[in-house]
Amino acid sequence: MDIECYKKLFNSPEHHVDKDWNLQSNVLVTREMPERHTGENLAERLKSTISEFELDGKIVSSVHDNARNMNCASEKCDFDDMRCFGHTIQLCIKPCLEIPAIAKLTSRARKLVGHFKHSTTITAEMRKRQKLFGLRQNELIQDVVTRWNSTQLMIERLCEQRRVITDVMLDTTVTKKCDTHMLLKDHEWDYLVEISAVLKQMSHVTTYMCLEKDVSASVMLPIVNGLLKKHLKNSEEDSALAHKMKASLSEELITRFKPYDIETASTQHALASLLDPRHRTLNFFSPEQKKVAIEMLESKLDDVPLKPAVKTS
């Protein structure tokens, strides 16, 4: 069950697998919630909804963001906790983008995009030179500060159009002398390429996890493990800034997802991975964690209602 609460509405979608093993999602209720959105009030709403639809004892876990009131509501309902993967990734990336050197560079990139966006003359010149240089005739993208993936797209598009942008900015018949300072220096372009590459891996992950018809709980821990052990590993070609960026993301992932903690092996995510044929070997776990996960699964077998085989004549 997802818990969503925004403005003065209470929205409670429910997810399950039907008799044909297809993933289904249904919105059980969308109702006005004029009272304060405290953990206690949210818990009461959830409990009443569960009772109304006769789902008592059938809720496996609740998915919600990292807000304190949501965490409190889940605890009071005694649900197994599953924090929203996408929201948690966003919280991991936020400190990374706040690293002074990265924040300064993305701000310069933002101003450069704005310079092109706000001038029809410069935009027209850009299109002419895209044709001349045989580059894709893509427009620059202005990011939305509160959406980190839009920042990644903005940087990626800037790097794609670097030749055209540089040519336009150095042309004094098009660009005023007082605006030439906005053109990025060579080392800044190099940094943007690195920032975009790191953020793109995170963007791929969130896009995959947002698919409606794919199981996501079982791939969360393998994905986090893959990010830490592969994509966020430093290479000899990385700059000091890229090292700092990867270190920040790794630290946040470890702090928020706790992939190396023994307690993580007894979570719903670990159980889902163990039951997923793609990840049942639990190669992302230590031997101790594997043992805990397997023991947890065995302890739950007693609760599985097994039907006797029907004999046919």
Side-chain angles (χ1 to χ4, degrees):
M1 171 177 282
D2 281 344
I3 308 172
E4 298 181 20
C5 184
Y6 47 90
K7 295 185 179 177
K8 291 184 178 294
L9 294 179
F10 174 80
N11 189 39
S12 182
E14 172 267 343
H15 308 272
H16 67 279
V17 178
D18 65 18
K19 61 183 178 63
D20 297 318
W21 291 94
N22 296 312
L23 290 174
Q24 300 293 339
S25 176
N26 302 293
V27 177
L28 297 184
V29 295
T30 300
R31 291 174 179 160
E32 184 180 13
M33 188 173 176
E35 66 268 32
R36 292 181 61 209
H37 295 176
T38 63
E40 292 77 8
N41 291 340
L42 285 169
E44 286 302 315
R45 287 277 185 160
L46 284 168
K47 290 175 181 177
S48 64
T49 300
I50 291 169
S51 297
E52 179 181 345
F53 287 88
E54 300 180 355
L55 293 173
D56 297 274
K58 298 179 181 180
I59 303 299
V60 176
S61 59
S62 66
V63 182
H64 55 84
D65 63 22
N66 292 265
R68 291 182 180 179
N69 59 343
M70 296 299 185
N71 297 336
C72 177
S74 185
E75 291 174 4
K76 288 185 177 296
C77 291
D78 199 25
F79 292 148
D80 285 329
D81 217 17
M82 296 183 78
R83 310 288 174 87
C84 173
F85 183 84
H87 186 246
T88 306
I89 287 291
Q90 178 180 333
L91 294 177
C92 291
I93 293 173
K94 189 173 182 287
C96 175
L97 294 179
E98 290 174 348
I99 294 172
I102 294 177
K104 181 179 179 180
L105 190 52
T106 53
S107 176
R108 281 188 36 81
R110 198 171 291 123
K111 290 177 181 177
L112 182 57
V113 171
H115 176 67
F116 277 77
K117 285 284 189 181
H118 296 148
S119 172
T120 54
T121 302
I122 292 179
T123 299
E125 281 297 324
M126 180 178 173
R127 288 172 182 161
K128 288 180 184 177
R129 295 174 202 228
Q130 284 174 328
K131 292 180 181 179
L132 179 64
F133 297 144
L135 294 176
R136 293 179 180 178
Q137 295 184 41
N138 293 328
E139 294 184 3
L140 297 183
I141 298 172
Q142 187 73 69
D143 73 335
V144 179
V145 180
T146 55
R147 297 180 180 177
W148 68 266
N149 54 330
S150 69
T151 301
Q152 186 274 322
L153 291 172
M154 176 186 73
I155 294 172
E156 184 179 47
R157 183 60 55 80
L158 265 179
C159 293
E160 175 193 281
Q161 299 294 329
R162 174 180 177 178
R163 184 180 179 186
V164 169
I165 292 169
T166 301
D167 198 64
V168 171
M169 294 298 291
L170 292 178
D171 188 340
T172 55
T173 64
V174 179
T175 304
K176 297 177 182 178
K177 187 175 181 180
C178 60
D179 292 329
T180 55
H181 71 280
M182 284 189 282
L183 179 61
L184 301 174
K185 298 177 175 59
D186 286 345
H187 73 277
E188 291 178 312
W189 283 110
D190 293 339
Y191 285 151
L192 284 183
V193 170
E194 289 186 308
I195 293 171
S196 177
V198 174
L199 289 181
K200 192 165 187 176
Q201 292 297 334
M202 309 302 287
S203 182
H204 286 328
V205 165
T206 52
T207 299
Y208 174 77
M209 293 295 281
C210 288
L211 297 176
E212 282 289 328
K213 294 299 181 180
D214 283 338
V215 175
S216 55
S218 62
V219 299
M220 192 201 79
L221 290 172
I223 283 176
V224 171
N225 179 75
L227 288 171
L228 289 170
K229 293 187 176 180
K230 182 179 179 181
H231 300 297
L232 296 178
K233 279 290 184 183
N234 292 323
S235 67
E236 294 180 357
E237 294 79 19
D238 287 343
S239 66
L241 185 60
H243 280 221
K244 186 177 293 188
M245 186 178 187
K246 290 181 177 181
S248 173
L249 282 170
S250 296
E251 182 181 349
E252 288 292 328
L253 286 171
I254 292 171
T255 300
R256 295 184 180 280
F257 290 102
K258 300 178 172 53
Y260 307 131
D261 289 9
I262 197 69
E263 292 82 5
T264 301
S266 59
T267 61
Q268 290 291 332
H269 293 109
L271 180 60
S273 295
L274 185 56
L275 294 172
D276 189 326
R278 299 169 297 176
H279 308 296
R280 63 184 180 185
T281 55
L282 302 181
N283 291 331
F284 49 88
F285 271 166
S286 67
E288 294 78 13
Q289 287 176 307
K290 288 183 183 180
K291 182 180 178 182
V292 170
I294 293 170
E295 288 176 350
M296 177 188 65
L297 175 59
E298 291 174 345
S299 70
K300 290 182 177 293
L301 291 178
D302 293 335
D303 300 328
V304 178
L306 299 177
K307 293 183 179 180
V310 178
K311 295 182 179 180
T312 57
S313 56

